[in-house]
Amino acid sequence: MSSAQQNFNQGQSHGQTQAKAEEWIQSTKDSASAASDRAHSAANTAGQTSERNKEEAAGFLQQTGEQVKNMAQGAVESVKHTLGMDNSSNANAANTNAANTTTANK
């Protein structure tokens, strides 16, 4: 084989190798870009799910807080009633005392 033919073959081989390397680089860039897009999409979905979970948790906590508040208020009213300190018992006691005083004065 002549020197010119060897140089030609080497040049051709070098060109093919360079073209193949550029194809691999482009393929790697495309794969990285696709992976990045999937990661962004997954992050957006996770963010939306997280936001929805926060809203649901806030609603649950608010509802639970209202229930606890109502139960506590009911307990307070029950204790007041038991001890005769609620408004209706005081009003009844005042009316009974007034009636007894009026009857005793007659």
Side-chain angles (χ1 to χ4, degrees), residues 23-98:
E23 285 178 25
W24 288 343
I25 289 170
Q26 187 59 45
S27 175
T28 302
K29 285 181 182 178
D30 292 346
S31 294
S33 177
S36 176
D37 289 346
R38 285 192 301 272
H40 285 289
S41 177
N44 286 339
T45 300
Q48 291 169 350
T49 300
S50 176
E51 188 62 33
R52 185 172 44 247
N53 287 344
K54 285 180 189 177
E55 290 171 4
E56 288 176 5
F60 173 76
L61 290 175
Q62 182 178 4
Q63 182 181 13
T64 302
E66 288 293 322
Q67 289 174 345
V68 169
K69 179 180 139 188
N70 290 338
M71 288 171 52
Q73 186 63 38
V76 167
E77 294 300 321
S78 178
V79 169
K80 283 182 177 181
H81 180 73
T82 300
L83 298 175
M85 297 174 57
D86 62 341
N87 290 336
S88 62
S89 293
N90 287 339
N92 289 337
N95 288 339
T96 303
N97 285 339

